[in-house]
């Protein structure tokens, strides 16, 4: 089955440790592809609504982890 909808997200945080933490948050959900100090994920779905749902799930996870990292960095 070929996918009609694809989305690639390149991710780099404020430092390498935070970028690694973000990638660890996604490791069970999708394939992580590293390139230098950043990584990317590729989401492929046959329907746009499924792609949107998968995008929302991944981004919400990244936002939650990034928010937690900000709080930890303050202490």
């Amino acid at each position: 089955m070929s996918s009609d909808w694809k989305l690639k997200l390149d991710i780099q945080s404020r430092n390498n440790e935070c970028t690694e933490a973000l990638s660890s948050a996604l490791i069970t959900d999708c394939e992580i592809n590293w390139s230098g100090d950043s990584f990317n994920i590729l989401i492929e779905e046959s329907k746009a609504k499924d792609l949107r749902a998968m995008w929302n799930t991944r981004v919400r996870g990244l936002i939650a982890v990034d928010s937690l990292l900000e709080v930890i960095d303050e202490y």
Side-chain angles (χ1 to χ4, degrees):
M1 176 176 118
S2 68
S3 297
D4 297 325
W5 295 90
K6 295 181 184 181
L7 189 143
K8 181 181 174 187
L9 176 63
D10 295 315
I11 303 160
Q12 183 175 13
S13 192
R14 55 195 159 279
N15 58 48
N16 287 338
E17 292 80 18
C18 290
T19 303
E20 288 178 17
L22 292 174
S23 74
S24 295
L26 294 173
I27 198 76
T28 60
D29 294 330
C30 54
E31 185 176 335
I32 306 295
N33 302 299
W34 281 94
S35 177
D37 293 338
S38 65
F39 68 94
N40 67 63
I41 61 172
L42 180 65
I43 304 171
E44 300 179 69
E45 295 293 334
S46 60
K47 297 179 181 177
K49 68 178 184 173
D50 294 338
L51 180 66
R52 181 195 56 79
M54 297 303 278
W55 164 261
N56 284 342
T57 300
R58 301 306 186 277
V59 171
R60 285 180 183 147
L62 290 170
I63 291 169
V65 171
D66 189 59
S67 295
L68 178 61
L69 291 171
E70 283 185 27
V71 169
I72 291 170
D73 285 347
E74 290 178 6
Y75 293 100

